[in-house]
Amino acid sequence: MDWAQHRRDAHQLGRAQEYLRQIVYGGNDGIVTTFAIVSGFAGAQSDGIAQIGGLAVLVFGLANLFADAVSMGLGEFLSGRAQHDLYHSRREMELREIAENPDHERDELETILHQRGLTREDAHATADIMVHHPSIMADLMMTYEFGMHDPAEERPAVNGLVTFCSFLVFGSAPLIPYFLYPPSNTIFLASIFSTLAALCALGLLRWSATGEKLLRTLGETIAVGTACALVAYVVGLVVGG
């Protein structure tokens, strides 16, 4: 059975939910990182951003946007590959331990199952059965002993691409006013509103995918972005002042 297709058909698990971690991670970091450049420039100039020039903001902002997007995408790809390698090497070790010392591994599994709610008798009977099925037993031990899930359905290249695209799409929001309007002392305010709109959109996407409380998902997303932006602005103000 194609379990990925089954989840989409039977449980209405959409693409946004499948790649929610990459979308939120890349999008939030893109917004915050790019706005940090803009707010850093604004904080460095007490008389306003117009003295710096919108072109300078765009040059530094776009350079940062694309460089960090590539870095984030490749980082997601490499971390996914590393997770694959770690899982498979650890699972091979677990299979060897089951083959070489089955009684010890059976006792470990029995303890785990009992701690997770099975009666002592059911845990003992289940462990006795599982020890004759090393592959399934190894999967159970990987999940419950090491807290690692099978990354077979994870696609590091796709995850990296989603992170890259999310970073670019959401991270471009703080720069939009600088493409649309000439430099002025108020353009920074327009960038703030554009950034808040992007954070709200990301929070709404997270809310629609998870079904969690709207105020919590929006509040957390906006709070994280605002905190990082304030740090960048204050640093620019202190250094530039």
Side-chain angles (χ1 to χ4, degrees), residues 106 109-110 121-133:
R106 192 207 65 80
L109 180 59
E110 179 181 337
E121 293 76 15
D122 287 345
H124 182 83
T126 303
D128 279 342
I129 294 172
M130 287 297 101
V131 77
H132 298 294
H133 303 275

Side-chain angles (χ1 to χ4, degrees), residues 164-239:
F164 170 81
C165 292
S166 180
F167 192 103
L168 281 184
V169 170
F170 286 98
S172 62
L175 297 176
I176 291 176
Y178 295 92
F179 283 106
L180 300 179
Y181 305 106
S184 68
N185 290 337
T186 60
I187 196 171
F188 179 56
L189 294 177
S191 180
I192 291 176
F193 285 117
S194 180
T195 299
L196 286 174
L199 288 170
C200 288
L202 189 62
L204 288 172
L205 177 62
R206 178 184 164 195
W207 167 71
S208 66
T210 63
E212 296 294 329
K213 293 181 179 180
L214 177 60
L215 289 179
R216 184 172 75 85
T217 53
L218 273 177
E220 286 179 351
T221 306
I222 295 173
V224 169
T226 301
C228 295
L230 283 175
V231 170
Y233 182 81
V234 170
V235 171
L237 188 64
V238 171
V239 175

Side-chain angles (χ1 to χ4, degrees), residues 23 45 53 58-59 77 86 108 115 128 133 154 156 160 172 193 201 217 226 232 240:
I23 293 172
Q45 289 290 328
L58 284 175
V59 169
F77 168 73
L86 176 61
E108 280 191 348
Q115 289 178 343
D128 279 342
H133 303 275
E154 294 282 340
S172 62
F193 285 117
T217 53
T226 301

Side-chain angles (χ1 to χ4, degrees), residues 88-106:
H88 291 299
S89 64
R90 179 62 259 183
R91 188 175 184 277
E92 287 298 321
M93 292 176 63
E94 190 65 25
L95 285 170
R96 286 198 299 271
E97 290 172 2
I98 293 171
E100 295 170 359
N101 196 352
D103 291 337
H104 175 73
E105 294 300 311
R106 192 207 65 80

